[in-house]
Structure formats: structure tokens, C-alpha cells
Amino acid sequence: MSIQARVFLASLILIGFGLGAAILLSPDPGQIDWPVFLILALLAVGSQYIPSETPSRNDHPGQMFYFAGALLLPPQGFVALVLLAHLAEWARDSVARSGRLADWYVQPFNISMHILLGLLVGRVMIYFQTVPQDLISVWAVCGALLAAAIYTLLNHALVGMAQFLVHGETWQKTGVFKAGNLGVDFALLAMGYLAAVLLQVNAWLIVPVLAPLYLLRRSLSIPWLKQQINRDSKTGLWNGDYFLQALEIEHSRSDRYQRPLTIVMADLDFLRDINNAYGHLAGDAVLVGAAHILSTQFRDYDVVARFGGEEFAILLPEASPQEAYVRVEAIRLAIEQAAFEAPTTQVKIKATMSFGIAGNNGGRYEPREIVHRADVAAYVAKIEGRNQTRIYSEDMADALGRGAVE
């Protein structure tokens, strides 16, 4: 059984557990405040269709209404709210993807996660509410904030665990515990608490809450836009400016703690010939394909960048040139064995890459000098026949100085 199927099965079991707990904790449907339920359901469903400014829709405002529902509704009403919102999400994705859901196991996982977290919020609030449904006493406020913090942390922990199990992504790569990501979700839940208080006073007071929600939603695009500034638009890799900034930081750390640092410069061989033979769209396809291989073969904390044209640069902290050589050779062979598809030809295009490696040698060289040395090694690899990996040595500099390499 695949890990996706296991996540799906476990999610179904948890959903069943949540439904059973909701029925046991609140057996009387008459306890549901139907006007409040309908308002929250409309808002939660509507939040699924708010346009996103970023490629990810993980931070949608539906969590705000789930949290309000966990505070105001009995368990079975809260479960119904979550199910309705995710049914709307499923409908949205089905239309967008012509009925095909790429990650079919994600929906039940999200449903089970929010149901269990919402039921937990209800249990937490019981210990802080001296009067049932009291949300404005000091203890109730403390309880709601504590519940929001627990909801946020557990939500991110469960998402990070799922990403690790399904995709093998590390906690660092997923970014689930970054302060900014946690802060946004906590702010959404805090607004959910405010929405619950206002709904108790007068249902119409929920309308002003939607204005800061819009501002918060817009603010989610800012980190992504900042990241895009540092990205190469064609390959999606980091650009040269970001690479040099990262190099300055890592070089300073390497110098301070006397740790190894290595730079790899790489050039696609004969890209101009590919452009001439198959067109520039084919050259771009090879460029993007090679960039994808590079981006998937290095560590999370390595920096892989397009330095310009067909040239790439890779920053490897905590690695010596000899350690980098083994990894780079494997990548060079992977590129050599790859066959790239292009829109301008039915022929699978073959390509190779030349690599040059240079290290900081105990912090004796400045950042741009290391880049230059790696560039020289890559140049020598090309001169000596291409599709090779060379580690910089002083002999290369001497040869260049004598004009032996042209």
C-alpha cells in the first residue's frame, strides 16, 4: 500500500472518530444555533473561492471561520461546517482540474485534521468558561488565545508530518514552523475569536471583520513576491544577485567557524548549437530541464542559481571540493543520460554540462575569488573536451597566465 493510500485510510478513520465523538458530545441537533451555523457556513464556503495572490492556497481564511465555529457551535455543528467547506473546496478543484484531483488524499486529511483540532478547542474552552458560551470574560479570552496557539502549532505539525511522509520533504524545507507562517495562522484564528464574539452580540457585526481579513489575505502575497524578485523567471532557480548575497553570508559564517565552503560553476555545453539546430524554444527546454535536475539533486540548504545565459552556480556550505565532486559527478551523468523534450521537434534532445569546483581553503579566499576560481575550473573542463568536472588547482591559473588555455 502506498504512503498516499495509508494517509487516506488513516484520515478516513480519524474522520469517523471525529464524527463519533461529535455525536457523543452533542447528541441533540436542537442545540445548534442555525442562524450562526448558516452565516459561518456561507463565509467558510465563500472563503474557498477568494482569489489567491500566490501559487499556494494553504493559508486560506477558512480557518478563521472554523475556529469561530469551534467556539460557538456544538461538536456536530462544527463537524458539519468543516465538511461543507471542504466539499466546496473539492468542487472548486474539480472544476479547475477538469474533475481530476492530483492529491486525492489531501482532502480527507485536511477534514480529519480540522475536525480533531476543532473538537480539541471545544475541550480547552470548557476549562476556561465559567459560564457556558461566555467568550468575553478574562479567562475566556485567555482560553481562546491558548486554544488558537494549540490549534496553530498542531495544524502545522500535522501538515509538516504529512509532507515528510508523502513527499519526503524535511521540516526545514516545508517551512511549517517559520515564525511568519505561524503568525499568519494565529492571526486568522484570533480574528475567528473576534468574529465569534461579534456574532454573539449581533450577526451584522461580522461584516466589519471581513475588511481586515481582506488586508490579511493580501498581505500573504508579500513574502511570495519578495521571493519572486530573487528568482530566475525562466528556470525558477535563484538568480545571480541572490546567490552572491547568500555567498557573502555563508562565507562570513565559514570564515568565523573555520568550516568548509564550496562553489560549483556549471555551463551547458553547445547550447548555441542546440538553438541553431532546433530553435530557441528547444534551447529553453534544455535549460529548464537541466535546471530541474540541478534543483532536485542538492541539499535543502544548498543554493542553486542561474548565473546568466547557460551558466549556473551552486553554493554548498559545509562541503569540501572533494565531497562536492562526488555529488557533481552524479549530476553530470544524470544530465548526460537525460533526453529533453522540446515543442519545436519530435527528437529527444541530448545535452551535457561542464562543471568547475573551488573551495574556500580554510577561509583564505574572498567570495568573488572563489567564484572566479570555480569559473576557471569550468572553463578548463570545457577546453579539455567538455562534459567533465574539474576541481580548481593553481596549475590551472598558471596555464591561464601563460596563455596555454584560450
Side-chain angles (χ1 to χ4, degrees):
M1 183 184 294
S2 67
I3 188 64
Q4 292 91 337
R6 292 178 184 178
V7 171
F8 177 76
L9 181 60
S11 299
L12 291 182
I13 294 173
L14 290 175
I15 290 173
F17 174 79
L19 290 173
I23 292 173
L24 290 175
L25 293 171
S26 179
D28 182 10
Q31 293 180 356
I32 298 177
D33 187 335
W34 290 106
V36 170
F37 174 82
L38 289 174
I39 291 171
L40 288 176
L42 287 172
L43 291 172
V45 169
S47 71
Q48 300 294 344
Y49 295 90
I50 294 177
S52 175
E53 298 291 333
T54 73
S56 171
R57 293 188 63 108
N58 293 333
D59 296 310
H60 61 75
Q63 296 177 80
M64 166 183 169
F65 306 116
Y66 300 156
F67 193 74
L71 296 175
L72 293 177
L73 299 173
Q76 59 188 17
F78 171 74
V79 169
L81 174 68
V82 173
L83 290 173
L84 277 175
H86 283 84
L87 182 63
E89 185 180 14
W90 174 84
R92 180 202 71 204
D93 289 348
S94 294
V95 172
R97 300 175 183 173
S98 302
R100 294 180 59 192
L101 295 178
D103 297 331
W104 46 271
Y105 56 90
V106 170
Q107 282 287 356
F109 171 78
N110 288 338
I111 291 171
S112 64
M113 179 178 65
H114 286 296
I115 286 177
L116 294 178
L117 292 177
L119 294 178
L120 179 60
V121 167
R123 295 298 91 188
V124 170
M125 290 303 294
I126 287 176
Y127 293 101
F128 285 86
Q129 290 174 318
T130 54
V131 178
Q133 294 298 305
D134 168 38
L135 292 178
I136 59 175
S137 68
V138 173
W139 279 109
V141 173
C142 293
L145 293 177
L146 175 62
I150 294 173
Y151 195 115
T152 300
L153 290 172
L154 289 180
N155 181 9
H156 283 243
L158 290 170
V159 169
M161 181 182 66
Q163 292 287 342
F164 172 75
L165 291 175
V166 175
H167 301 295
E169 294 184 352
T170 64
W171 294 88
Q172 181 182 9
K173 186 173 182 180
T174 59
V176 291
F177 286 124
K178 285 185 177 180
N181 295 333
L182 292 170
V184 168
D185 276 5
F186 182 80
L188 281 170
L189 299 185
M191 290 179 64
Y193 163 72
L194 179 60
V197 171
L198 295 177
L199 278 171
Q200 278 193 327
V201 176
N202 188 315
W204 286 106
L205 293 177
I206 192 68
V207 176
V209 177
L210 302 181
L213 177 62
Y214 171 76
L215 295 177
L216 181 61
R217 180 63 175 162
R218 293 284 295 183
S219 72
L220 293 176
S221 64
I222 295 175
W224 179 74
L225 291 174
K226 286 182 177 179
Q227 187 183 76
Q228 291 307 106
I229 294 174
N230 294 319
R231 291 286 184 182
D232 174 62
S233 59
K234 184 168 291 184
T235 63
L237 300 179
W238 299 111
N239 59 28
D241 289 340
Y242 179 85
F243 176 86
L244 293 175
Q245 293 171 16
L247 174 58
E248 290 286 346
I249 294 171
E250 286 297 334
H251 184 272
S252 175
R253 188 186 67 83
S254 171
D255 189 28
R256 185 164 59 251
Y257 298 108
Q258 293 299 296
R259 302 300 300 166
L261 178 146
T262 294
I263 290 173
V264 179
M265 300 300 291
D267 277 354
L268 271 169
D269 300 325
F270 301 115
L271 184 62
R272 182 177 300 177
D273 292 347
I274 294 173
N275 288 333
N276 293 336
Y278 303 106
H280 283 82
L281 290 179
D284 287 347
V286 172
L287 195 68
V288 172
H292 176 72
I293 293 174
L294 290 173
S295 66
T296 57
Q297 297 299 316
F298 286 98
R299 302 165 300 182
D300 294 337
Y301 51 87
D302 295 333
V303 178
V304 184
R306 183 186 178 199
F307 218 56
E310 65 267 31
E311 189 176 25
F312 298 86
I314 303 102
L315 169 63
L316 292 88
E318 299 292 333
S320 68
Q322 290 72 27
E323 291 170 332
Y325 180 86
V326 177
R327 185 178 299 117
V328 170
E329 268 294 281
I331 294 169
R332 183 187 64 78
L333 290 173
I335 293 173
E336 180 185 6
Q337 295 166 4
F340 302 101
E341 296 182 356
T344 55
T345 178
Q346 297 297 318
V347 177
K348 297 291 182 65
I349 302 173
K350 304 291 287 184
T352 60
M353 195 172 249
S354 299
F355 294 86
I357 302 173
N360 63 342
N361 290 3
R364 291 192 293 119
Y365 301 116
E366 292 300 311
R368 291 183 182 271
E369 187 176 359
I370 306 172
V371 172
H372 173 70
R373 288 167 176 257
D375 220 2
V376 168
Y379 186 55
V380 170
K382 294 176 77 74
I383 291 295
E384 293 183 350
R386 294 181 169 82
N387 192 24
Q388 300 181 42
T389 303
R390 291 286 182 267
I391 297 177
Y392 177 83
S393 68
E394 296 298 334
D395 293 342
M396 294 178 181
D398 293 340
L400 286 172
R402 294 192 306 269
V405 179
E406 297 179 356

